[in-house]
């Protein structure tokens, strides 16, 4: 599944590494102990079945809910990262970046966490140092030919 493969690769190459695990049963998910966390189906899009879980007591319910949105009844649980979310719009020709524009992704809060309602261009709430780091990450993803591995 794409989400699991992408998260594994990002951790392997040390790009935005976070704790994560994939679960096929609610019972196995109880071994997770990093909070807050995000629970989501491995094979769903559009934030369907996604839940921010702040305590162990809410984990089982979130895993059950996410499983209902998964074709394979598998969920991925990831460490939650706080901060401003950015999107990168990149055009690559023959391995070279010819366009790279970052936007601030404007997202809803609970209960629709992560669901975008817009983008801000130019980025206003992220420092030039962070934008430069993001550019380096994009370059690294292109140099390892990330997008052809899935």
């Amino acid at each position: 599944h794409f989400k699991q493969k992408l998260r594994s690769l990002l951790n392997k190459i040390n790009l935005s590494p976070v704790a994560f695990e994939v679960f096929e049963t609610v019972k196995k998910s109880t071994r997770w102990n990093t909070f807050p966390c995000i629970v989501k189906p491995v094979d769903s899009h559009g934030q369907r079945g996604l839940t921010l879980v702040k305590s162990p007591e809410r984990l089982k319910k979130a895993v059950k809910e996410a499983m209902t949105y998964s074709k394979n009844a598998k969920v991925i649980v990831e460490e939650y990262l706080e901060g401003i979310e950015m999107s990168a719009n990149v055009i690559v020709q023959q391995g070279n970046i010819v366009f790279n524009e970052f936007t601030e992704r404007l997202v809803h809060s609970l209960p629709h966490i992560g669901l975008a309602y817009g983008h801000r261009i130019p980025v206003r709430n992220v420092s030039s140092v962070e934008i430069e780091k993001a550019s380096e990450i994009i370059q690294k993803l292109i140099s390892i030919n990330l997008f052809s591995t899935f």
Side-chain angles (χ1 to χ4, degrees):
H1 299 295
F2 179 77
K3 291 176 187 176
Q4 180 181 0
K5 288 179 183 178
L6 179 61
R7 181 51 54 208
S8 293
L9 178 64
L10 292 175
N11 281 2
K12 181 180 175 183
I13 63 174
N14 200 31
L15 282 179
S16 187
V18 297
F20 82 96
E21 196 162 347
V22 174
F23 297 105
E24 297 179 14
T25 68
V26 174
K27 185 176 182 178
K28 286 183 181 178
S29 72
T30 58
R31 67 181 179 224
W32 181 264
N33 62 3
T34 302
F35 296 91
C37 64
I38 292 288
V39 177
K40 58 188 172 184
V42 296
D43 54 2
S44 179
H45 303 295
Q47 309 307 98
R48 286 182 286 279
L50 183 141
T51 305
L52 171 62
V53 178
K54 295 181 179 181
S55 67
E57 298 78 33
R58 304 267 303 135
L59 185 62
K60 278 174 117 175
K61 181 179 179 185
V63 169
K64 282 181 189 177
E65 172 76 9
M67 284 181 170
T68 67
Y69 288 91
S70 173
K71 294 175 190 137
N72 299 315
K74 292 182 183 180
V75 301
I76 186 167
V77 180
E78 299 175 338
E79 173 184 1
Y80 178 66
L81 299 177
E82 291 270 347
I84 297 168
E85 189 173 341
M86 289 187 356
S87 292
N89 299 288
V90 181
I91 297 174
V92 178
Q93 288 179 336
Q94 299 174 346
N96 298 311
I97 297 174
V98 295
F99 178 80
N100 185 10
E101 182 67 45
F102 290 102
T103 66
E104 282 180 53
R105 192 166 185 256
L106 306 174
V107 295
H108 292 280
S109 57
L110 295 173
H112 304 292
I113 187 166
L115 187 59
Y117 63 84
H119 292 265
R120 181 177 292 134
I121 303 171
V123 173
R124 294 185 206 140
N125 297 307
V126 179
S127 74
S128 59
V129 171
E130 290 169 316
I131 291 171
E132 182 59 35
K133 284 181 187 177
S135 294
E136 291 169 8
I137 289 170
I138 296 295
Q139 186 60 55
K140 188 167 185 180
L141 293 174
I142 290 167
S143 71
I144 64 167
N145 209 8
L146 168 76
F147 304 104
S148 68
T149 62
F150 296 104

